[in-house]
Structures are given as C-alpha cells and as structure tokens.
Amino acid sequence: MIDTSRLMVSVSGVRGRVGEGLTPEVIATFAAAFGAYARQRGPGNKVVLGRDSRVSGPMFHRAAAAALQSVGCDVIDVGIAPTPTVQLAVEDLGAAGGLAVTASHNPIEWNALKFIGPTGMFLDGDEGREMRAFLEGEIPRATWDQLGGVTTDEDAVERHLQRIFSIPFIDLDAIRARKFHVALDCVRGAGGTIFPRLLDELGCRVDAINLETDGRFPREPEPVAENLKELEALVRRTGADIGLATDPDVDRLSLVSGDGRAIGEDYTLALASMLVLRHRPGAVVTNLSTSRLLDDVAEKAGVPLVRAPVGEINVARRMQSESATVGGEGNGGVILPDVHLTRDAPVAAALILQLLAETGQGLQSLADSLGRYEIVKEKVARPSQPLDAVYDALAARFPEADADRQDGLRLSWPAEKKWAHLRPSGTEPIVRVICEAQTRDEAAGLVETLRAALPV
Ligand code: MG
C-alpha cells in the first residue's frame, strides 16, 4: 500500500509535490492500478499516455509507461501534449483509457496523474472508486509473454486541430480575413505544441513568449490576471489585438484586451458562450462558484443556465444529461460538446477569435457589454457542528435567498445580482466562502454577514 498522507487523491487524479510524497513508485502504482482497471473495462488494452512539459514529466512518464506495460496494456505515447489532446486521442483511437502526467495549473514543484475513461472524459466518482479498488489488493501483473508494448502517436495534435476547424460555427475564412494580431503566453507548458499551429492556421500574426516546452515556468502558471503582467506588456509593446494565456496543460485560457489589460478569467467562458449561443441556443452548464456573468449571457440568449457541483467531471456529466450547448468553469475552462466534454483552451481561443471576427468588436468592448462583478473569497474556521446543520441554519436565516445544496450551500439573490457559496476544504479544517456582487464592498459585506451568521 502507498502512503497517501502527503498526496492529494481525488476521483480523477492523484497529485503531490515531487520528491515529497510524489515519487516514481507512487506514479507506477497508480498507473498499474489504472491499467488493470482499464484492461478489465475495455474496450481492448490500449492506454494513451501524454504529459505536460514539467521538469519531472519525463521521469514520471517513463514510470507510468512501464507500469502500464506490466499489467498488459499497450501504451500509445503522445509525448508532450495538452491534456484535452490526450483525452481526444483516447476517444479517436478507441482506447480503454488514458493517463495525463500533469499537475495542470499548480506550481512547478507539483506533478500528478489524471485518469481518463474510454469516452475521453475524466473518471467520475463511481469510476474512480472502481479504479482505486485495484490499489487495495494485489494488482494483477502480466507474465513475460503478456507484457504490453509501446507505440508513439505523432498526429494527436493535428487531429485535435482538425476537430476544432470542423466546429460548424467556426468560419475559417472569416477569421483569416481579419488577420488578427495575437500575443501569446504558453508559460513554457504544453501549449507550445498546439497554439502556434492553431493561430497560424487561423491566419493570425503572432508575437509569442514562453513557447519552450521545458516546464521552467517563468511565472506562477495559473493564468489568473495577476500572473499575466508579461503578456500585458507584450500586448502593449506590439500593439496586438488580443493576448492569450494558457496554463501548463492547456485546458484553461485567459484573455488580455488590446489595451494591455488582463480582463479576468471569468470572461473567457462568458464570451465563448456568447458566441456559441448566437449560433445554437441551448442549455449552458457551469459550476456553483462561477461568476454571474454567465447568468446574464444565458438570460440575454433566453436559455437556461444549470449549475453543477464544483469539479470538471461534474460539469461535464451534467452537460451530458442536459444536452447542453456549451459549458465550463469560470476559471477559463470552456467545454464545447461539438469537440468533446472537457475543458479545452484551443477550442476556447477559436471561439473567442470567431466572436471578434463576426461582431467586429474589440475584446474590451465585448467584455464591457457584459458588465462587471466582483468576487471576494474568504476562509472561515470550520464550525464544530455538522455542516448540514450549519447550512440548514443559514438557509433559514436568509429565507428570501434561493438555496442550492448540491455542493455545500449556495445562496443566491438573483434580483440583487449577488450570491454566496460555502463549501468545506478537502484538505484544511476550514470552510471556503465565495461571494459575488456588483461592487467589491457589497461582496465583502456579504462575506461578513455570512461569517456573523455562522454558528460557532
Ligand atoms: Mg489545467
């Protein structure tokens, strides 16, 4: 058994600091358990393996490949690739599953394994439990004559690009005709394998930084506004129309406007949804902590907005059950079912450029048309009584608010355009409180009102 005390194990992955909990032994054990699970589940015994650009990536990639072979899985190695590219390869190749060696937006000292099912979606709660059951007993290993092989797949990125170009409402000629000048920051993550080709095909003139895929992140890799100073300066210096920033595994996209200002990652999904809904009105799905900007976009388009528990797979599953048109997360993660049910930054970039092309407006004026909200996040000590009772008490204290109990407690006041979401941390004895309103003072005031109303 593995010591998981220094690891973060979730339904669809395992994450840790390199050398402090996360070792090749840990990666190999999880990869072998995943391979045994995938082989039993099928179809077949192929598992796609890819990684982001992290310095520890090659080491863990080799450990994962060996472990997959040891349980009789044939490894299809896509090398350094965006996580959504790995997921699409699983689907395209009819594999039994996929593994992405990536810690997504986490700092440089982290790495992780993410588990992908045969549909190309991450494992959900039930699938994750079935997979982890293989960790409890002895993992069934292959004998010498049953070991898996390794082949490489050089075309995964190209297939991903072709899938994007065949989105029905992406008009390649219209985008190319605009000859957009784009500033790009791939943070030395896996984005360098796809974004230059994507933008080249879209006829853009590109000024790029951090395209090297060596994992030596020159900034904090999460693409939140405060980490995008270098890209803001690049936009101003080059006079670009727009700046694009991704995280290391290329599932989140952040935008910088033509005047060199990071507009905040909440706008990515709101603007991408605005474009999709112009062509195809339908349900939009997001999580309980995503900005109200999206409610406004859905309302204007006359379509329902459905909220799912936090966690990408929860949003993706709800998109399936609602037959949603578009969805995702407020952190810059856009999901377009036309391509696949996972967050995909190249898809998001294509949708945003299409929006600029067909509206003839700049990014800043499009963002201004959506209005502005302020989000305030706080941590409060976890009350001693059970959280369900705490949520009951809070819901009773604010009877005028709509209460959603899918994931913690979300209280919303739609007429006043504000909401609050409380959910416990999985790792610390705290409750996270997120509030959004039209002004910072109002959002901060809502946090304080809730804090005061919390039973001790
Ligand atoms: Mg990511």
Side-chain angles (χ1 to χ4, degrees):
M1 275 302 285
I2 292 179
D3 172 15
T4 54
S5 63
R6 290 192 294 172
L7 297 169
M8 315 259 287
V9 181
S10 70
V11 293
S12 51
V14 55
R15 178 159 62 97
R17 285 189 177 83
V18 178
E20 300 168 27
L22 196 71
T23 61
E25 292 89 333
V26 166
I27 291 289
T29 304
F30 274 89
F34 176 80
Y37 160 78
R39 230 191 123 174
Q40 183 188 72
R41 181 181 180 177
N45 70 333
K46 288 189 288 194
V47 173
V48 176
L49 176 64
R51 65 176 177 92
D52 71 18
S53 63
R54 285 168 194 271
V55 175
S56 59
M59 171 177 82
F60 290 136
H61 189 93
R62 288 192 291 269
L68 289 167
Q69 288 181 273
S70 80
V71 293
C73 289
D74 284 333
V75 177
I76 301 171
D77 185 359
V78 297
I80 298 179
T83 299
T85 304
V86 177
Q87 293 175 263
L88 207 54
V90 171
E91 199 182 332
D92 284 343
L93 302 174
L99 287 178
V101 181
T102 173
S104 192
H105 60 275
N106 288 281
I108 200 163
E109 65 270 23
W110 291 82
N111 213 331
L113 265 188
K114 294 211 77 174
F115 310 123
I116 302 159
T119 59
M121 293 166 77
F122 292 118
L123 298 193
D124 66 16
D126 291 340
E127 294 169 324
R129 268 185 293 280
E130 280 172 43
M131 193 284 285
R132 285 194 304 278
F134 281 88
L135 292 167
E136 309 292 325
E138 192 167 334
I139 299 171
R141 304 283 177 167
T143 52
W144 70 271
D145 53 345
Q146 301 291 322
L147 298 175
V150 179
T151 53
T152 55
D153 173 8
E154 309 275 350
D155 302 323
V157 165
E158 182 57 32
R159 289 194 306 269
H160 190 173
L161 289 171
Q162 292 310 320
R163 194 73 86 90
I164 293 169
F165 300 145
S166 47
I167 296 169
F169 37 86
I170 293 292
D171 182 343
L172 287 179
D173 292 337
I175 297 176
R176 285 173 181 150
R178 291 292 303 274
K179 297 186 169 58
F180 288 116
H181 181 185
V182 178
L184 173 67
D185 178 359
C186 290
V187 73
R188 293 180 175 244
T193 64
I194 193 166
F195 258 89
R197 287 164 70 183
L198 172 77
L199 296 174
D200 186 49
E201 291 276 348
L202 294 175
C204 301
R205 185 175 130 217
V206 179
D207 278 298
I209 48 175
N210 304 320
L211 291 185
E212 302 86 345
T213 52
D214 61 9
R216 299 198 178 268
F217 309 145
R219 58 164 168 87
E220 285 302 314
E222 187 166 20
V224 293
E226 59 264 33
N227 294 337
L228 303 182
K229 300 276 180 265
E230 203 187 351
L231 181 62
E232 291 179 327
L234 181 66
V235 169
R236 286 194 295 268
R237 194 166 67 242
T238 61
D241 300 310
I242 185 174
L244 305 176
T246 68
D247 73 331
D249 75 326
V250 208
D251 56 357
R252 289 169 59 178
L253 182 76
S254 271
L255 307 172
V256 172
S257 64
D259 58 357
R261 198 174 63 80
I263 63 173
E265 65 275 21
D266 286 311
Y267 281 92
T268 310
L269 177 60
L271 291 168
S273 300
M274 188 196 248
L275 181 272
V276 175
L277 294 172
R278 287 165 71 97
H279 296 270
R280 190 184 293 161
V284 180
V285 177
T286 190
N287 67 34
L288 292 165
S289 285
T290 288
S291 170
R292 268 200 52 92
L293 285 171
L294 200 58
D295 296 67
D296 294 344
V297 168
E299 195 180 302
K300 249 182 229 161
V303 300
L305 175 72
V306 179
R307 290 190 183 264
V310 172
E312 178 185 343
I313 186 61
N314 298 319
V315 173
R317 288 282 182 216
R318 187 66 63 84
M319 288 181 70
Q320 270 185 316
S321 64
E322 300 282 340
S323 302
T325 293
V326 64
E329 299 175 344
N331 58 14
V334 174
I335 304 178
L336 186 71
D338 288 88
V339 178
H340 51 176
L341 282 163
T342 195
R343 300 180 305 187
D344 189 316
V347 165
L351 296 175
I352 296 296
L353 291 175
Q354 177 71 30
L355 180 67
L356 297 186
E358 70 183 46
T359 60
Q361 292 186 58
L363 183 68
Q364 189 64 57
S365 84
L366 285 162
D368 289 344
S369 76
L370 295 182
R372 184 147 196 88
Y373 290 97
E374 297 286 344
I375 289 186
V376 173
K377 300 179 182 183
E378 282 284 349
K379 299 173 181 179
V380 299
R382 191 176 170 135
S384 54
Q385 40 175 300
L387 285 176
D388 275 339
V390 171
Y391 298 150
D392 286 341
L394 280 178
R397 165 79 177 69
F398 301 99
E400 75 288 1
D402 295 340
D404 186 324
R405 295 283 293 269
Q406 292 182 78
D407 177 12
L409 173 68
R410 184 178 192 271
L411 294 170
S412 67
W413 294 263
E416 294 164 63
K417 292 184 176 277
K418 64 181 188 184
W419 56 267
H421 187 200
L422 293 88
R423 62 195 295 266
S425 161
T427 51
E428 299 170 80
I430 56 156
V431 173
R432 296 183 197 284
V433 182
I434 305 177
C435 293
E436 185 182 54
Q438 286 178 302
T439 66
R440 179 149 291 268
D441 283 352
E442 209 185 340
L446 187 52
V447 170
E448 287 318 310
T449 304
L450 287 166
R451 191 202 295 276
L454 271 178
V456 191

